[in-house]
Amino acid sequence: MEFLQHLQYAFKIGLDPMNLLAAFMGCVFGTLVGVLPGLGPSASIALLLPVTYYFTPVQAIIMLSGIYYGAQYGGSTTSILVNIPGEASSVVTCLDGYQMARKGRAGPALGISAFGSFIGGTVSIIVLMCLAPPLARMALRFGPPEMFSVMFFGFTMIIYLAKGSMIKSLMMAMLGLLFGCIGTDLFGGGIRYTLGIPQLTDGLDMVQVSMGLFGISEVLLILEEEDLGKKDIQRTRMRELLPSRQDWKDSAKPIARASILGSFLGTLPGGGPTISSFISYAIEKRLSKHPERFGTGEIAGVAGPETANNAACGGAFVPLLTLGIPTTVVMAVLLGGFMIKGVTPGPFLITKSPEIFWGVVGSMYFGNVMLLVLNLPLIGIWVRILKIPYAILFSLIFLFCLVGSYILNNNRTDVLIMVTFGVIGYLMKKFEYPAAPLILALILGPQFEKYLGQSLIMGEGSPVIFFSRPISSILLIVAILLLVSPLLLRWGREQRSRLSEESGDDLA
Amino acid sequence: MRDRDIISSALCIVVAILFCAGGLKYGLGSFSRPEPGLYPFILGLIFIGLSMALLFTSLKKKQDAIRERFFPPREKAYRLVLSLVFLYAYGMAMDQLGYVVTTFFFLVGVLRFVGLQKWKTVLTTSFLATLFSFLLFVTLLKSQLPKGPLGI
Amino acid sequence: MNRIAMLLATVTFLSLQFHPGAWAQEKYPERPVQAILPYSPGGPGDLTPRLLSDFMTKQLGQPVVPLNKPGSGGFIAGGYVAAAKPDGYTIGMFANTQAAPEVLAKFRPASYSSKDLVPAVNFSGWLVTLTVRADSPFKSFKEFVEYAKSNPGKLRFGHPGVGNRYWIAGMALADELGIKMKEIPFNSEGEYLTALLGGHIDVSVMTYGGSAREHILAKTLRVLCVFEEKRIEELPDVPTVKELGHQSTYGDLFIGIFAPKGTSPGIISRLADATTKVIENPEFVQGMKRLNMPIKYMNTKDFESFISKDSALVTKFLKEKGYI
C-alpha cells in the first residue's frame, strides 16, 4: 500500500512541468557528454553547477542526475561507431558493438543498446524504490575483503573475455595490472614508475588509454590496410536500422539478467557500471550457445553490458540517497551538486526531504523514457556519420581523440600519452594481442591492489581473512571454481580421447 | 605468426623485467609489511612466466608456411608515420598556439597529406570542423581550451 | 611642441609597462582573474573556492574564473600557480598541503616549494574530527584511549592516505597518546566513511561536513574530539584536542588564496581586502553554511606566519617518526 503511495508521490513530482524540463535538459546534455569522451559526466556536472543557481533544489538535482544516466546512454554510441569507449562502462561494448557496425549493423547495435539501457534503468529505479534502505545496508557489509573477492571474481571473468589465445589474454591482463601500478602507491605514499612525468603521479587515465588503444590504433590499422578512396568504414552495406525480431530474441534473456545484475552491483563502491558491464559480458558469453561468436558482432555482447551499466546507475543512487555515500567519482560530484543546493543526502534524506528522494526517483522514470525517445531517432544521424568517406572521417576521429584527451585535465601530456598508447595498440593488433584484458585490468588494477592491501593489513598479513567472512569466501570459492572448471573440462576431455584412442575406437 | 610471437614474447619478457627491477628499487618488504615494490614485482614475475611459456611454445612450432608481410608497403607506411607526426605535433603545439589554430592546421595537414584530399575538401572540412568543435566545446560546454597568441 | 609631448607620453607609457606593479595595482584587476583549484570538480574542496570566486567577482568588478587543475594531491595546481606570471591574474586557492609541498617531498615530489608562493589571505578550512560508529563501545575519548592502550595494534584506523594531512593529524595524536593502531589507507573520505559505517574500520579522521555530518547528526556516528582551537558550534559537547591536554593542532587546516612569488604587495592587499569584505557578506555566509564549510579568517601577515609554523611543526613530526 505504501509502495503505491510512494509511487504516486514520485510520479506527481516527476510530472511537474518544470521538473520534466529540468530532466529533459539533463538528459540531452548527458547524452552529449556521454558521446564525447574526455568530457565525462563529472566535469560537466561541475560545469553546470553555476547554472543550477536558478533552479530549485529538486529541479537542480533532477537535472544533474539526468546528466549522469544520460551519459550512460551516450557512451555506447562512440563505442559502436568508431571503437572508442566514451566511458569506462562502455569499453566492453566496443568488443561486439564495433564489429556489428563494421558488418553494417550499427543501427541494431545502437537500437538494442538504447532499449536495453532503458529497461535496465527502469528496473533499477524499481529496485531503488522498493529496496533502497535494505540494499544500502547490505552494500555496507562489503568491506575490503569482500570487494577484493568481487574484483577477483571480475578478473576471473576477464579470462572468459579471451578471444583467441588465452595465454596472450593473461599476458595482457598482467600488463594492464602493471600499468595500473604507475602512480602513487596508496600504502607507502611513494610514487612508482612515473619516469619523472608529473601527470603520471595519479596514474594512467582510462580515457587516454582507451582512446589511444582502441580508437587511434584502429584508425592506424585501417590507414594501413585499406585503399581509402571514397569508401566508408563499413565493410558491408547498411542493413536495417533497428533490431530485428531475431535480435530481440537473442537479447531478451541477456537484458533481463543484466538488469538485475547491474541494479545490485551498482550499490557497491568503486565503479558499479564498469564492473557490471563486463561481468554481464562474461556471463552472457558463458551462457551463450555460441560463445565463439562473441567478439565478432554478437548482439548479446552489446545488450547485456549496456543494460547492466544503466542498471548500475540506478543502483549507485542507493548508497548516495540513503547514506550520502558516493560510490564513484561522478556520484561524488553529484553529491557536491546536492550540497550546493543545501541538501546533504544521508540517513535523514528520505524523511526530512522526501520530495528530493522521490522527486529523483520519479524523474528518473521519465528521464529514461525521454532518453529512449531522444536516442532512437539519433540512430539515423549517427549511422549517417558512418557514411562519411573514411578518407575524411579518419581526421575527425583523430581530432575527437585529441580534444577528448586534452579536455580531461587541460593538459597536453595527456594527449601525448594517448597517442603513444595508439602506437602500442597498433603494435598489439599486429602481434595479435587482445586489448580488452589490458584495459580492463588497468581499470580494475588499482582497486584490486587497494582492496588486497587493506584486507591484508586488517588481517595482519594473513590471507585467512578472505575466508573468515561469509560473503568474501563464497565469492572466492565460486571464482576459483569457474577458473578451474574449463581447465578441468579440457583435461577431462583429453583423458577421454586418450582412452578411446588406446582402446581402438570402432566408430572411427 | 610464429616468428612474430617469438619476437613479441621476448619483448614482453624485457618489459616484465623492467617492471620487476622497478619493484626491487621500491622495496619488497614482506607479506605482512608490504612495501610499494612487492605487488608489481610479483605481477612482473607472473608476466615473465607467461611470456616465457608463450616463447617456448612458439619455438616448438614449425616455421610458418606463408611469411606474411609485417610492415605495410611504403605508401601506406608513409601514411602511418605522417599521421603520428601530426598527432604528436598537435599535442605539443596546443598550449602554445591555442586550440583553434592547432586544430585547423592539424586537420589541413592530415586531410591533405594523409587523406590526399583536394584542397577544396581539405579547407572546407578543416574550417567547418574547427568551427563546429569550437562552438561545441568552448561555447556550449564551457570547456577550458587554451587560447593562442591571437587570443582565440 | 607636439612631438615632444608625444615623445614624453610614449616614454611615460612605456616606462609604466615596465613597472606593472606600480601601475596595475591602482587598476587591478582590469581583466578576468584565473583562480586555480587543486581538486577535481564537485567536492567541497572545489565548491568552496568556487563560491568565493563568485563573490570575489562582484567585489573586484572583474570575473574571477575558477580553473581546475587536479592531480598529484594538488601539486600540479600549486606548480602551475608558482610558475605563472606574478601579475595577479593567476591565483590559487590552496590548503596546507599545496602551500608547503616540500614537507611531503619524500612522498611526492613537486615542481615548486613554499618559497615560490605568496599567501594573501585565508578564508576557510576543514574541520577535522576523530569519529567512531555510534554503536561502538567507546562513548568518550577517554574510553577510546584506554581501550587503545590496552589493545595495541587491534584498532583499525581509516585514513585518506599516507602523507595526507588527515593522516598526519591522526598519527600525531596517536603518537602523543602512545597508542598503536592498524593504519588502513583509502582513496577518499567517502570510502572510509563507508568502511566505518559498515564496521570494517573502528575509527577515523572525518571532516565535519558533508555526508559525515549528516551521520553525526543522525547519531549513526559519534565524534570523540575535534582538532580545533575552539569547540564546533553544532557539537557543543565534543571536546577539542587542546582541552583534552593534547598538542595536536596538525588538524588545523586552511583554504586560502595564494599568488606567485613576486606579485606586488599592492595586488596582494587588494585580494586580501576583497576577501575580507566577502566574508562579511551575509549571502556568502549563507552559502558557506549550505556547503557546511567553516569560515576561517587570517590576514596576510598572520597567514604567512601560520604557514611557516605549521610546516615546521609537521616537518619536525615526520622527521622524528622516521617518515622522512
Side-chain angles (χ1 to χ4, degrees):
Chain A
M1 205 54 250
E2 223 186 279
F3 175 75
L4 283 178
Q5 267 182 338
H6 286 153
L7 194 64
Q8 256 187 330
Y9 187 48
F11 271 36
K12 189 169 84 130
I13 302 183
L15 279 175
D16 178 282
M18 282 308 287
N19 293 347
L20 274 180
L21 180 66
F24 181 72
M25 283 172 61
C27 290
V28 170
F29 201 73
T31 311
L32 188 63
V33 160
V35 171
L36 300 170
L39 202 68
S42 8
S44 36
I45 292 178
L47 288 171
L48 283 191
L49 287 176
V51 176
T52 62
Y53 183 73
Y54 301 103
F55 294 109
T56 68
V58 180
Q59 289 162 352
I61 289 165
I62 287 178
M63 187 178 93
L64 296 175
S65 310
I67 298 181
Y68 176 54
Y69 50 85
Q72 297 300 327
Y73 274 77
S76 48
T77 310
T78 49
S79 300
I80 293 171
L81 293 180
V82 285
N83 202 43
I84 299 174
E87 297 290 314
S89 50
S90 312
V91 169
V92 186
T93 315
C94 289
L95 297 178
D96 278 273
Y98 180 63
Q99 294 307 318
M100 282 180 72
R102 297 212 75 182
K103 285 188 184 163
R105 303 201 62 219
L110 290 167
I112 208 77
S113 167
F115 280 109
S117 299
F118 173 71
I119 296 173
T122 310
V123 168
S124 71
I125 300 172
I126 297 177
V127 169
L128 172 65
M129 275 184 53
C130 307
L131 294 176
L135 259 186
R137 278 197 296 274
M138 205 188 75
L140 279 184
R141 296 191 57 202
F142 278 75
E146 285 74 26
M147 287 311 296
F148 172 78
S149 306
V150 171
M151 295 283 146
F152 185 83
F153 189 78
F155 270 109
T156 318
M157 292 300 179
I158 289 185
I159 299 183
Y160 287 112
L161 294 172
K163 192 175 41 153
S165 162
M166 186 166 295
I167 198 171
K168 284 183 173 177
S169 294
L170 286 172
M171 282 169 70
M172 287 299 102
M174 286 300 124
L175 188 59
L177 288 177
L178 282 169
F179 277 140
C181 293
I182 298 178
T184 312
D185 168 40
L186 184 62
F187 297 90
I191 316 235
R192 302 185 292 198
Y193 301 114
T194 56
L195 304 172
I197 303 175
Q199 282 76 11
L200 286 180
T201 355
D202 289 317
L204 286 169
D205 189 277
M206 181 254 90
V207 175
Q208 300 167 302
V209 173
S210 56
M211 283 203 274
L213 212 58
F214 286 79
I216 302 251
S217 70
E218 181 68 19
V219 177
L220 290 176
L221 264 172
I222 295 183
L223 283 178
E224 165 194 82
E225 287 176 23
E226 319 271 323
D227 279 310
L228 292 181
K230 289 251 168 197
K231 263 204 347 217
D232 60 33
I233 198 172
Q234 296 161 306
R235 288 212 170 103
T236 56
R237 269 186 41 80
M238 170 69 53
R239 291 190 254 156
E240 336 78 37
L241 267 188
L242 283 180
S244 66
R245 168 114 29 112
Q246 183 59 41
D247 289 331
W248 276 106
K249 267 176 63 183
D250 293 331
S251 309
K253 289 222 192 95
I255 290 180
R257 285 189 279 261
S259 303
I260 308 290
L261 178 75
S263 303
F264 287 98
L265 279 183
T267 61
L268 297 180
T274 312
I275 200 169
S276 308
S277 67
F278 74 86
I279 288 187
S280 168
Y281 186 87
I283 288 180
E284 293 314 319
K285 187 170 176 184
R286 194 85 170 73
L287 294 176
S288 162
K289 297 202 192 70
H290 306 280
E292 69 287 350
R293 282 206 225 142
F294 274 70
T296 64
E298 178 65 26
I299 201 164
V302 177
E306 278 303 309
T307 309
N309 69 19
N310 276 73
C313 280
F317 275 97
V318 170
L320 183 69
L321 294 178
T322 54
L323 296 171
I325 295 172
T327 49
T328 63
V329 174
V330 186
M331 299 311 278
V333 181
L334 203 56
L335 180 64
F338 274 76
M339 285 173 27
I340 228 183
K341 300 306 289 182
V343 178
T344 312
F348 287 143
L349 188 72
I350 301 190
T351 44
K352 246 199 324 188
S353 320
E355 72 280 2
I356 304 259
F357 180 83
W358 296 109
V360 171
V361 169
S363 71
M364 271 166 74
Y365 276 118
F366 300 111
N368 269 291
V369 173
M370 280 190 247
L371 281 165
L372 188 64
V373 168
L374 253 173
N375 276 281
L376 285 179
L378 284 180
I379 294 180
I381 302 182
W382 299 134
V383 150
R384 210 160 294 163
I385 290 185
L386 285 188
K387 293 227 181 100
I388 299 179
Y390 201 72
I392 299 180
L393 185 64
F394 85 97
S395 67
L396 299 176
I397 298 178
F398 272 159
L399 182 65
F400 194 53
C401 293
L402 289 169
V403 181
S405 55
Y406 184 87
I407 277 193
L408 203 56
N409 286 318
N410 300 316
N411 168 332
R412 72 167 184 209
T413 316
D414 288 336
V415 180
L416 301 173
I417 293 176
M418 179 206 64
V419 179
T420 310
F421 268 95
V423 177
I424 295 177
Y426 168 78
L427 290 172
M428 278 168 63
K429 291 207 170 120
K430 297 289 285 192
F431 284 107
E432 290 185 22
Y433 283 86
L438 192 149
I439 190 107
L440 291 164
L442 181 62
I443 294 173
L444 291 189
Q447 299 200 56
F448 189 69
E449 185 186 1
K450 173 178 77 176
Y451 293 127
L452 179 63
Q454 289 171 336
S455 307
L456 285 177
I457 296 181
M458 285 168 73
E460 292 171 38
S462 120
V464 170
I465 188 169
F466 295 112
F467 295 101
S468 62
R469 298 157 69 119
I471 302 179
S472 164
S473 35
I474 294 176
L475 280 169
L476 278 181
I477 293 174
V478 172
I480 294 177
L481 280 176
L482 282 175
L483 242 176
V484 167
S485 69
L487 296 169
L488 280 178
L489 281 172
R490 200 163 359 136
W491 183 76
R493 248 181 264 135
E494 280 173 22
Q495 294 297 75
R496 252 179 285 135
S497 65
R498 192 150 9 113
L499 284 174
S500 61
E501 269 175 38
E502 287 171 8
S503 66
D505 217 90
D506 300 316
L507 300 168
Chain B
M1 208 56 229
R2 169 199 182 254
D3 293 338
R4 293 191 206 176
D5 282 352
I6 295 178
I7 300 175
S8 62
S9 49
L11 255 174
C12 285
I13 293 179
V14 171
V15 170
I17 292 180
L18 287 174
F19 270 104
C20 285
L24 283 170
K25 184 171 85 165
Y26 300 124
L28 295 183
S30 64
F31 276 111
S32 47
R33 291 197 153 271
E35 282 185 30
L38 183 63
Y39 176 76
F41 184 77
I42 296 181
L43 288 177
L45 285 181
I46 300 178
F47 193 26
I48 292 179
L50 290 168
S51 311
M52 291 216 285
L54 181 62
L55 183 63
F56 288 135
T57 45
S58 309
L59 283 171
K60 284 210 297 213
K61 280 202 246 170
K62 288 191 299 216
Q63 269 273 5
D64 282 329
I66 313 165
R67 295 299 260 351
E68 251 185 59
R69 202 203 168 97
F70 183 79
F71 285 108
R74 167 104 33 108
E75 328 78 61
K76 309 275 174 58
Y78 166 72
R79 269 193 231 166
L80 291 181
V81 171
L82 208 55
S83 298
L84 286 173
V85 167
F86 277 116
L87 287 167
Y88 278 113
Y90 188 95
M92 300 299 298
M94 256 281 246
D95 283 335
Q96 316 315 44
L97 298 178
Y99 175 73
V100 175
V101 173
T102 322
T103 305
F104 183 74
F105 283 109
F106 169 79
L107 286 172
V108 166
V110 142
L111 279 169
R112 174 70 197 150
F113 298 108
V114 179
L116 301 174
Q117 297 296 303
K118 297 196 281 259
W119 276 110
K120 192 174 79 165
T121 320
V122 170
L123 291 173
T124 340
T125 316
S126 307
F127 178 71
L128 285 175
T130 310
L131 180 67
F132 181 66
S133 57
F134 182 81
L135 288 174
L136 180 65
F137 288 109
V138 180
T139 318
L140 181 62
L141 297 172
K142 304 209 196 314
S143 317
Q144 297 153 338
L145 288 173
K147 304 195 172 175
L150 302 168
I152 44 161
Chain C
M1 202 39 223
N2 273 344
R3 281 238 207 111
I4 299 178
M6 273 281 288
L7 192 60
L8 271 177
T10 317
V11 168
T12 318
F13 178 70
L14 283 175
S15 61
L16 282 169
Q17 299 310 309
F18 285 107
H19 296 280
W23 174 247
Q25 81 183 51
E26 309 260 318
K27 297 286 224 84
Y28 172 82
E30 301 182 296
R31 49 189 170 87
V33 176
Q34 258 199 346
I36 308 293
L37 309 184
Y39 306 111
S40 305
D46 170 70
L47 297 176
T48 313
R50 276 183 192 267
L51 187 70
L52 185 79
S53 305
D54 274 343
F55 281 86
M56 288 283 271
T57 300
K58 297 188 202 109
Q59 198 65 38
L60 291 174
Q62 283 285 335
V64 176
V65 184
L67 173 58
N68 296 86
K69 285 231 172 254
S72 199
F75 287 174
I76 291 195
Y80 184 87
V81 174
K85 266 211 317 211
D87 55 9
Y89 290 99
T90 311
I91 58 176
M93 303 208 172
F94 299 147
N96 312 43
T97 313
Q98 293 91 39
E102 60 271 16
V103 173
L104 296 179
K106 259 291 185 69
F107 298 113
R108 189 198 286 270
S111 58
Y112 68 106
S113 84
S114 55
K115 290 202 264 326
D116 301 315
L117 290 177
V118 174
V121 64
N122 182 38
F123 63 93
S124 184
W126 307 90
L127 300 171
V128 188
T129 69
L130 192 70
T131 308
V132 295
R133 260 189 339 282
D135 60 14
S136 84
F138 319 122
K139 303 264 184 300
S140 73
F141 186 74
K142 218 164 63 103
E143 290 180 30
F144 165 73
V145 177
E146 270 168 23
Y147 183 90
K149 283 212 170 116
S150 40
N151 296 284
K154 271 247 132 111
L155 284 178
R156 298 165 300 187
F157 169 65
H159 62 85
V162 173
N164 186 295
R165 282 304 292 254
Y166 281 61
W167 171 77
I168 293 176
M171 293 320 294
L173 183 63
D175 186 66
E176 252 181 67
L177 296 168
I179 59 180
K180 273 201 119 14
M181 300 183 285
K182 284 192 232 183
E183 302 164 40
I184 305 182
F186 291 81
N187 278 124
S188 70
E189 187 165 322
E191 283 185 19
Y192 61 82
L193 172 62
T194 319
L196 185 62
L197 287 170
H200 306 287
I201 56 173
D202 306 302
V203 62
S204 68
V205 276
M206 211 75 84
T207 311
Y208 185 71
S211 314
R213 176 173 164 275
E214 291 293 307
H215 283 279
I216 293 170
L217 293 175
K219 306 249 189 293
T220 43
L221 290 182
R222 181 184 308 133
V223 183
L224 295 177
C225 68
V226 295
F227 290 79
E228 290 285 313
E229 295 274 313
K230 298 202 299 269
R231 295 197 175 193
I232 299 180
E233 255 179 63
E234 290 186 357
L235 299 175
D237 302 321
V238 177
T240 67
V241 267
K242 236 189 165 156
E243 293 175 29
L244 293 165
H246 296 291
Q247 247 290 30
S248 305
T249 44
Y250 299 95
D252 202 346
L253 302 178
F254 60 74
I255 304 180
I257 299 184
F258 291 80
K261 178 176 73 164
T263 310
S264 87
I267 296 184
I268 300 281
S269 59
R270 188 96 166 76
L271 288 167
D273 290 336
T275 310
T276 318
K277 295 223 181 59
V278 168
I279 290 183
E280 292 165 7
N281 183 333
E283 272 180 45
F284 179 74
V285 176
Q286 256 289 41
M288 289 294 270
K289 253 196 136 93
R290 256 189 274 132
L291 288 176
N292 289 314
M293 289 294 285
I295 299 184
K296 290 188 188 183
Y297 177 75
M298 267 189 272
N299 67 35
T300 315
K301 258 227 289 274
D302 292 340
F303 196 28
E304 227 177 293
S305 65
F306 179 84
I307 294 175
S308 39
K309 271 204 302 227
D310 186 62
S311 335
L313 203 63
V314 176
T315 313
K316 183 158 151 282
F317 170 72
L318 290 175
K319 274 221 181 84
E320 281 174 10
K321 294 299 135 195
Y323 289 110
I324 54 172

